[in-house]
Amino acid sequence: KYAKRFMAIDKTDHVGLTVTNGGDGTDFLTTDYLPKDPSFGKRLVRIGKKVLLEKVDTEGITVGENIVLTRWGVVEITKVDGGLEGKFVPDGDVKAAKRKISWIADVPENTPVILSEFDNLVSKEKLEEEDNFEDFINPDTEADTEVIGDAGLKTLKEHDIIQLERRGFYRVDRAYVNESKPLKLFMIPDGKKKAMSGLDGKLAHR
């Protein structure tokens, strides 16, 4: 599967990082939509001093540790207690850093997104003749997650297929309209128990 890649961070379960030399939020970097295939084109990614990270990615982080903000580069953590702080290292060693983290700049132009995922109506792969159908009805077949996505997601149209970094592939069910009618994405199941890089959804996706 190939699709344009974007990043999004959980709306509630996230942590702020202050990149002390990250700029005022008006700067951009240019990156490929799909690093393995430049024919997909390029997109602009906002960078700035205030950044949002997935909370799960910051567990156990220490002062002096180098982390990689995907597509941006290395940040050295300078403060943990009382809020994460770090400084961007322009010539940092990306390969040496153990944590490679999804992120977005914390700016007003970000896109509100609802991720919808679905599971099978029946919890057993194959029902036997003696099985009571009602015993295997799955009570949890749909779940929604609110995330904050980058501004580029506002350009998507209904039925577009995209990939969210470390989450998986999605189809646009409703394009972004406004804050009260956010972008709605339907997850495309891939049959895997785990998400691409540890950011699990809410359902099993059997």
Side-chain angles (χ1 to χ4, degrees):
K1 293 179 182 179
Y2 294 99
K4 290 182 177 180
R5 290 182 182 178
F6 296 87
M7 282 189 277
I9 300 298
D10 194 287
K11 183 178 179 180
T12 56
D13 209 18
H14 66 255
V15 172
L17 165 67
T18 300
V19 183
T20 53
N21 58 344
D24 60 4
T26 60
D27 294 326
F28 295 84
L29 59 85
T30 303
T31 183
D32 292 322
Y33 273 114
L34 188 62
K36 292 182 180 179
D37 189 348
S39 69
F40 275 77
K42 295 185 179 293
R43 70 186 181 99
L44 295 175
V45 176
R46 182 75 66 89
I47 60 176
K49 184 175 291 187
K50 298 294 184 181
V51 170
L52 302 179
L53 312 176
E54 297 285 355
K55 185 177 180 180
V56 67
D57 289 337
T58 66
E59 292 174 359
I61 208 164
T62 58
V63 171
E65 182 177 347
N66 283 348
I67 65 172
V68 173
L69 300 185
T70 304
R71 309 277 184 274
W72 188 0
V74 176
V75 171
E76 180 186 348
I77 300 300
T78 56
K79 179 186 173 187
V80 173
D81 294 336
L84 284 179
E85 287 188 6
K87 60 181 180 181
F88 177 64
V89 184
D91 56 352
D93 188 347
V94 172
K95 292 183 178 179
K98 294 181 179 179
R99 298 177 197 251
K100 295 174 174 61
I101 295 178
S102 300
W103 61 280
I104 56 170
D106 188 7
V107 293
E109 293 80 11
N110 286 336
T111 307
V113 185
I114 297 174
L115 306 180
S116 295
E117 49 188 307
F118 305 91
D119 203 356
N120 293 333
L121 294 176
V122 180
S123 60
K124 188 176 181 180
E125 187 172 340
K126 183 179 180 181
L127 291 176
E128 306 297 335
E129 189 174 335
E130 64 273 14
D131 287 336
N132 181 358
F133 174 79
E134 293 182 354
D135 292 339
F136 298 96
I137 294 176
N138 185 359
D140 299 309
T141 59
E142 181 178 357
D144 289 341
T145 301
E146 292 186 71
V147 298
I148 305 168
D150 65 55
L153 290 165
K154 291 188 174 112
T155 65
L156 298 179
K157 300 178 178 61
E158 188 179 3
H159 303 310
D160 281 350
I161 303 294
I162 66 154
Q163 181 182 349
L164 291 182
E165 298 267 10
R166 301 177 60 228
R167 289 183 179 272
F169 291 89
Y170 294 82
R171 178 182 64 81
V172 178
D173 179 63
R174 180 182 66 203
Y176 173 83
V177 179
N178 51 41
E179 290 291 321
S180 61
K181 289 186 177 180
L183 176 68
K184 189 157 189 177
L185 301 178
F186 281 3
M187 177 180 275
I188 301 173
D190 59 8
K192 297 177 181 178
K193 293 288 186 179
K194 288 280 187 180
M196 290 183 174
S197 298
L199 291 180
D200 294 334
K202 293 178 177 177
L203 300 179
H205 304 290
R206 282 174 286 268

